[in-house]
Amino acid sequence: MNIPFVDLKSQYQSIKGEIDGAIANVIADTAFISGKCAKTFEEDYSSYSGLDHVIACANGTDSLEILLQAMGIGPGDEVLVPALTWISTSEAVGSLGAKAIFVDINEYFTIDASQIEAKITDRTKAIIPVHIYGQPADMKRIMDIAKKHKLKVLEDCAQAHGAELDGIRIANFGDCGSFSFYPGKNLGAYGDSGGMVTNDADIAARARMIANHGQLEKHNHIMEGRNSRMDGIQAAILSVKLKYIELWTERRRANARYYDSILNNIESIEIPKCIEDGWHVYHLYVIRCKDRDGLKEHLEGNGISTGIHYPHPLPAMKCYEDRNLGRNDFPKSYAACDEILSIPMYPELEKGQMDYVADKINEYYQ
Ligand SMILES: *Cc1c(COP(=O)(O)O)cnc(C)c1O
C-alpha cells in the first residue's frame, strides 16, 4: 500500500468544480494582485479567526517579518523564539537586524515558558511562541511574562489554523498573529501566501502599509515598504477552502484519535501529548520513537511516507554557529530531534491506511 504524507490531489478532486470556477472568475476579472478577492478573503478570515484585522500577504515568512517591523522591532533588539521550529520564525527576526534568542521546548514541543525569563535582557522586545504541529503554546504563562516585562507577543500560527486554548482561537492572545497558507498547511493555497491578523488597529495599519510599498493610498508613500501582496487566484482558492476547514479539522482530529487508539500500546513509541484545555488541529501527527531512523526506513520501504519536523534544532544550524550553542543549551530540543517522526496525517486519510501504518510500526519493533 502506498500512503503519501499529505494528499492534496484527493482534496482538490473533492472540490474541483468550485476551485476551477473561482480561478476562472479571477482571470475573467483580471483581478490578479490583491484586489477584490483578497479583500473578500480578508473578511472571511477575519470572521473565522475572530480578529478585527486581517492583511493578506505573499507568504508566512513575510508575514512574521512585517508584523515584527510593524511593532517597531529593529536592529539591536532581541526576540525570544523556540529552538525547535521552522527557520522562518528566527529568520524573520534576523532579517530586521534584530537577534533571535533561542529558548528550549517543553514536552509538548512548544516554547518552555519556565525558561523564558532567564533569557530576558534589557534588549528583549518580543516573544514569538509557535503553535507547533497544530497545538497551542502555553499562552497564559507567556502572556503573564510578556505583561510583566512589557514585551510584545507575535503568535506564529503557521501550523495551527483554528487551534484553540480554553475555547479561545489562537492569535487572540498576543499582540498579533501570523499565518502561512503554503499548500501543505491546514489551510493551504495553490502557491505561496500568508496572512497577518491582529485586533490592534495601529499594528494593522502599519503592516498593511509595509506590505504595499509604504502606501495607504496609491502614490502616497509614507515610508519605504516592500512588495508582499496576495495573488487574487490564491485568495479566491483560499475563500473556497475556508468553507471546508472546520470539516477538515474535525477529520484530522478524528484521525488523530484513531491513531492514538491503535498506537497507544506500542511500547517503543510515544503518541503526541496534548495540553489540557487545548484544541489541537494536528497539522502534523508526531510520534517519538526508539531507533527513529530505522523505523523511518522500514516505513518508507513499505510505501509509507514520513517526515521529520525537524531533524535539527535551529541553534545547531550553520547560520547560527557563531553563537556556539549546543546540546547542553537545549537538551529537550536536541532529544526531540533524535526521536520525532511525523507519520501521514490529513483529512482524507482512511482507517485502513492508518491500520496499515500501525501494522508496519508493530512489525518493525517485533
Ligand atoms: C510554514 C511556516 C512558516 C512560514 O511560512 P511560508 O508561507 O512558507 O513562508 C513560518 N513558521 C512556521 C512555524 C511554519 O511552519
Side-chain angles (χ1 to χ4, degrees), residues 196-208:
M196 308 180 259
V197 303
T198 182
N199 279 330
D200 184 316
D202 292 335
I203 294 176
R206 285 180 56 79
R208 192 175 287 285

Side-chain angles (χ1 to χ4, degrees), residues 31 73 110 124 139 201 205 212 221 249 254 280 297 305 324 327 332:
I73 310 295
T110 56
T124 311
M139 292 314 297
N212 191 22
H221 303 278
T249 299
H280 193 324
E297 210 179 287
S305 297
N324 282 313
R327 191 171 277 271
K332 295 217 180 97

